Amino acid sequence: MGVDVNSNRVDGIQAALNAVAASDVAVLVLGIDKTIEHEGIDRVNTTLPGLQNEFALKVLSIGKPTVIVLVNGGILSIDDLVNASAAIVEAFNPSVQGARALADTLFGTQNRWGKLPVTIYPADYINQVVMTNYDMSKPPGRTYRYYTGTPLFPFGYGLSLTTFDVSCKQIRPTVFQCVISNTGKLDGDEVVMLYHSAGQDIRKKVVHPVPIKQLVQYERFSVGVGKSVTHTFSLTLDAFRLTNIVGDKVLYGGQHFIFISHGNGNDLQFEVTL
């Protein structure tokens, strides 16, 4: 039922729509395979091939809670599908145990979700950047470190079947103590990430590109319902270095910031002066 990865066949669409209409919840698997992208073959866009987007819109229009599962190597821009879906799972290429892992996580027997290791750009991004230009910092920029636009989903984003509260304090200039509390109804894992961002005084005096921010440390925590975990993040001076125009790592004196994130909600900000 449904449609192929990349074809114009429509003979399976109506049966799939009938099944969705008769269901309580639908799981809609979309994506690409090695016929679309592999070593030696690049895509010319980041959208779904074939009739997948059109088919997905028909499924979503039925109004049943629908979980979209994306199976892919490179990112997929699903701009039209985000708001109408009940949930979106980025599965990438889940390998031989992927089906079991997906079933466990979708049904809640496991709650160990991760965070996005990539920036998912909107579909129009390909019209803003020439594919052959590999200057990461040239506007609108590439990756979370330089992209100045609004991503469909940002690097590091991720939710859980439970909820977490993360509170942190700066106990020394480069040492931060965080309390990760499970405030929801399921045991689960949370990932806390620390990013470095150089202050404006440093940005004004250097002659090379400076990232908006860059990931310098992260940790995964398993936390039971109603429980809390306390963890201390200690950063070395290497976390504050920037790469200059010849590729050397340089530590600049001045104002630095550390942002602490758990992939959703507001980031915590701390200032470090070196």
Side-chain angles (χ1 to χ4, degrees), residues 55-94:
F55 171 63
L57 289 172
K58 291 180 182 292
V59 170
L60 293 171
S61 70
I62 294 173
K64 295 299 178 75
T66 300
V67 178
I68 293 176
V69 176
L70 298 177
V71 177
N72 50 284
I75 68 163
L76 290 170
S77 303
I78 54 168
D79 306 36
D80 297 338
L81 311 181
V82 173
N83 291 335
S85 61
I88 300 169
V89 176
E90 174 54 270
F92 292 107
N93 289 317

Side-chain angles (χ1 to χ4, degrees), residues 80-181:
D80 297 338
L81 311 181
V82 173
N83 291 335
S85 61
I88 300 169
V89 176
E90 174 54 270
F92 292 107
N93 289 317
S95 191
V96 293
Q97 292 297 320
R100 183 185 300 274
L102 280 169
D104 285 343
T105 49
L106 289 176
F107 285 97
T109 58
Q110 293 287 336
N111 187 25
R112 304 184 66 248
W113 302 94
K115 308 298 179 183
L116 273 178
V118 292
T119 300
I120 299 182
Y121 306 104
D124 187 56
Y125 181 73
I126 64 162
N127 298 317
Q128 304 170 37
V129 177
V130 179
M131 182 182 289
T132 55
N133 172 37
Y134 284 87
D135 184 342
M136 304 289 281
S137 63
K138 183 178 180 179
R142 289 178 180 268
T143 81
Y144 77 98
R145 288 187 284 184
Y146 294 103
Y147 181 53
T148 56
T150 302
L152 201 60
F153 292 101
F155 176 93
Y157 182 80
L159 300 173
S160 171
L161 296 178
T162 189
T163 54
F164 293 95
D165 176 73
V166 177
S167 60
C168 302
K169 61 183 179 180
Q170 188 174 18
I171 58 178
R172 288 194 294 279
T174 61
V175 179
F176 307 87
Q177 187 178 79
C178 296
V179 179
I180 303 93
S181 302

Side-chain angles (χ1 to χ4, degrees), residues 246-257:
V246 296
D248 295 331
K249 293 281 191 176
V250 179
L251 180 63
Y252 293 100
Q255 189 181 48
H256 299 256
F257 294 95

Side-chain angles (χ1 to χ4, degrees), residues 32 36-37 41-47 73-77 131:
I32 55 179
I36 306 297
E37 175 187 65
I41 295 183
D42 294 322
R43 293 176 292 162
V44 297
N45 58 53
T46 57
T47 55
I75 68 163
L76 290 170
S77 303
M131 182 182 289

